[in-house]
Amino acid sequence: MSAVFSPPAAALPTDKELVLKVIPMPADTNGNGDIFGGWVMAQVDLAGSVLPARYIQGRMATVAVNEFIFKQPVRVGDILSFFSAITRVGNTSVTVEVEVYAERFSSQGQYVKVTEARLTYVAIDEKGRPRPVPRPAPSPAADAAAAQ
């Protein structure tokens, strides 16, 4: 008799912001009965866009999926938590890391890391061309800290 593999419980990240929670439904499954990877990718793209939107302040587009790793299957009824952090702000783009954790329906309160990804979003103008990412205005506190 073979044992069922159960990945160790993971702690939720404290260095990233919770940007989305969603529960996949039966209509989101693939032929194996797991959640379709394309559905997970679409949710990661939505979650990944939350923090860059604060910098870009206008239209943006996903310009690259730099890395995408499916670590564990996602199941119907899992509560998925998407955590994100900005890793780079360039002239016209913002790169983020997204981690996805599943709280299994059968084991509430325990989390399993199911996906991790790195995506880049580009700020675009009304014609769809890249435009500069606005820089925050310098604050007196930031100027004082920089002077020390």
Side-chain angles (χ1 to χ4, degrees):
M1 189 174 214
S2 63
V4 175
F5 173 73
S6 180
L12 296 177
T14 57
D15 60 339
K16 293 180 174 53
E17 184 174 339
L18 177 64
V19 293
L20 179 68
K21 284 188 94 112
V22 66
I23 300 172
M25 302 304 284
D28 305 315
T29 59
N30 61 22
N32 296 323
D34 295 318
I35 299 304
F36 179 59
W39 181 89
V40 175
M41 291 181 85
Q43 303 309 305
V44 166
D45 192 21
L46 290 171
S49 70
V50 171
L51 298 182
R54 295 177 186 165
Y55 280 83
I56 291 174
Q57 300 173 7
R59 289 185 64 197
M60 66 181 175
T62 308
V63 69
V65 177
N66 309 94
E67 180 178 46
F68 207 103
I69 301 170
F70 294 103
K71 299 179 83 59
Q72 296 292 325
V74 175
R75 303 178 185 133
V76 171
D78 285 352
I79 301 170
L80 300 182
S81 298
F82 295 74
F83 291 85
S84 181
I86 291 175
T87 59
R88 181 180 176 280
V89 178
N91 292 327
T92 62
S93 65
V94 176
T95 300
V96 297
E97 288 181 354
V98 179
E99 294 180 356
V100 185
Y101 293 81
E103 186 175 2
R104 303 293 191 196
F105 184 77
S106 60
S107 55
Q108 298 288 306
Q110 295 181 5
Y111 298 90
V112 176
K113 188 176 189 180
V114 294
T115 303
E116 58 187 47
R118 191 167 37 88
L119 301 94
T120 301
Y121 299 85
V122 66
I124 56 175
D125 64 18
E126 63 281 344
K127 294 182 180 172
R129 294 182 301 222
R131 65 172 173 81
V133 173
R135 299 292 179 197
S139 68
D143 289 343
Q148 293 180 352

